[in-house]
Amino acid sequence: MSAQILDGREVAAAVKARVAEDVAEMAAAGVTIGLATLLVGDDPASHVYVSYKHKDAKAVGIVSIDVKLPGSATQEEVFAAVDDLNARDDVTGMIVQLPLPDGLDGEAAVERVLPSKDADGLHPYNLGKMVLGRPGPLPATPSGVMTILSHYGIETAGRTAVVVGRSFLVGKPMGLLLGAKGADATVIQAHSRTPNLAATCRQADILVTAVGRPGLFTSEFVKPGAVVIDVGTNRTDDGLVGDVAFDDVVDVASAITPVPGGVGPMTRASLLTNTVSLARAAMAGGRN
Ligand code: NAP
């Protein structure tokens, strides 16, 4: 039997509709929400991602502010641009588009962002709050995965989740969210040093792949009936593909996210949710 397709575009559209309502409500109360992006250099994929973020923001009524620096920018110039956005009242949230060009420290740039304006939820302060289970902006991709699971009524409590990948952007926070109180999955965090990866993955009721290797996860990695969430986004000659060999796995899994159209749109939607939450917290005068 073929797996249920978890349609990220459809879920993201529902999230965006709710965000647009929130933005309109806040506008009526006199609050303008401004999302800034800082893009350094000429990486074509980063330019595309940033343009999507502006398009999404505009579509829900968020003012978007586009700051670009040349690839020759120094770390100090990057910090100065972040400081400028931190100081602007019209910027209620911001994103430093990663990766930065070689020679620049992206993590240091993210750390320079005020935690109260950290729309990506990647500032160490906000990551720390996530570890403590306190409210704050969450990393957009793992947060988007939790939203899609919840939207389709996929139970996480009492189930075994295997997350492959341990980056601070995706894998690590994904494991933390699935294992957090309330989600209550039992989490196995796998990575490039995990012996016998296929056998480890076959333990999963919920398998999340965040590796960046096209088609690595064949049916051999999937327990029959598992839910498969493919975070991988790989540009190949055949176009954009995930980490999962979709055509092979779709007959084994009970539910699966496609690439494109699965986790990607959810990441973008989560960014908007974070942006509104930050503006709301600023309006309430609280720290995030
Ligand atoms: P990353 O920083 O390169 O991390 C990749 C992780 O995969 C690392 O933890 C690495 O293990 C592990 N890994 C690499 N090769 C492996 C293998 N053969 N077997 C098992 N584990 C392996 O990448 P990332 O930023 O987390 O992104 C992962 C993927 O998600 C990429 O394709 C990226 O484009 C995609 N992505 C998609 C979205 C979206 O919205 N859909 C958002 C962000 C990222 P070690 O730690 O041991 O090196």
Side-chain angles (χ1 to χ4, degrees):
M1 210 181 81
S2 201
Q4 177 186 19
I5 304 300
L6 306 176
D7 185 341
R9 290 194 180 113
E10 193 179 299
V11 183
V15 172
K16 283 188 204 166
R18 283 199 297 275
V19 169
E21 283 172 20
D22 289 348
V23 173
E25 198 180 287
M26 290 172 75
V31 179
T32 305
I33 306 178
L35 175 66
T37 59
L38 175 60
L39 176 59
V40 186
D42 302 319
D43 178 57
S46 291
H47 275 261
V48 170
Y49 291 143
V50 165
S51 71
Y52 286 159
K53 288 168 188 175
H54 288 283
K55 188 168 152 233
D56 289 344
K58 282 183 192 127
V60 297
I62 292 174
V63 176
S64 74
I65 297 133
D66 189 1
V67 178
K68 291 193 175 75
L69 290 177
S72 58
T74 63
Q75 189 77 38
E76 285 313 312
E77 285 166 337
V78 172
F79 285 158
V82 172
D83 291 347
D84 178 51
L85 294 171
N86 279 337
R88 280 173 62 165
D89 288 339
D90 60 335
V91 173
T92 52
M94 78 165 100
I95 294 154
V96 177
Q97 183 66 38
L98 299 177
L100 295 187
D102 287 348
L104 294 175
D105 184 342
E107 283 183 34
V110 170
E111 201 166 342
R112 192 83 171 196
V113 173
L114 281 176
S116 58
K117 294 194 177 190
D118 170 31
D120 263 332
L122 293 176
H123 189 285
Y125 176 80
N126 289 322
L127 291 174
K129 285 186 28 166
M130 181 184 57
V131 171
L132 295 170
R134 285 163 51 192
L138 295 172
T141 301
S143 165
V145 170
M146 296 308 286
T147 305
I148 203 167
L149 290 174
S150 150
H151 178 93
Y152 282 100
I154 293 168
E155 188 59 77
T156 51
R159 304 183 84 186
T160 299
V162 176
V163 178
V164 192
R166 57 179 167 184
S167 70
F168 88 110
L169 190 65
V170 189
K172 250 181 222 163
M174 187 74 257
L176 282 166
L177 292 181
L178 283 163
K181 274 196 194 309
D184 297 323
T186 299
V187 177
I188 298 170
Q189 190 102 46
H191 44 75
S192 69
R193 301 300 184 99
T194 299
N196 203 347
L197 185 63
T200 301
C201 290
R202 278 199 306 273
Q203 296 180 60
D205 301 310
I206 300 170
L207 175 64
V208 183
T209 62
V211 165
R213 302 276 182 277
L216 172 67
F217 297 89
T218 58
S219 54
E220 190 206 337
F221 289 68
V222 180
K223 177 164 85 174
V227 173
V228 177
I229 306 290
D230 190 356
V231 179
T233 309
N234 307 291
R235 281 167 206 286
T236 70
D237 293 343
D238 298 329
L240 206 61
V241 301
D243 289 341
V244 173
F246 185 91
D247 291 343
D248 185 28
V249 169
V250 73
D251 292 327
V252 179
S254 62
I256 187 167
T257 55
V259 178
V263 175
M266 295 307 302
T267 298
R268 288 164 59 185
S270 298
L271 205 52
L272 298 175
T273 312
N274 276 349
T275 303
V276 171
S277 301
L278 291 171
R280 209 185 277 287
M283 187 170 80
R287 295 178 71 200
N288 292 296

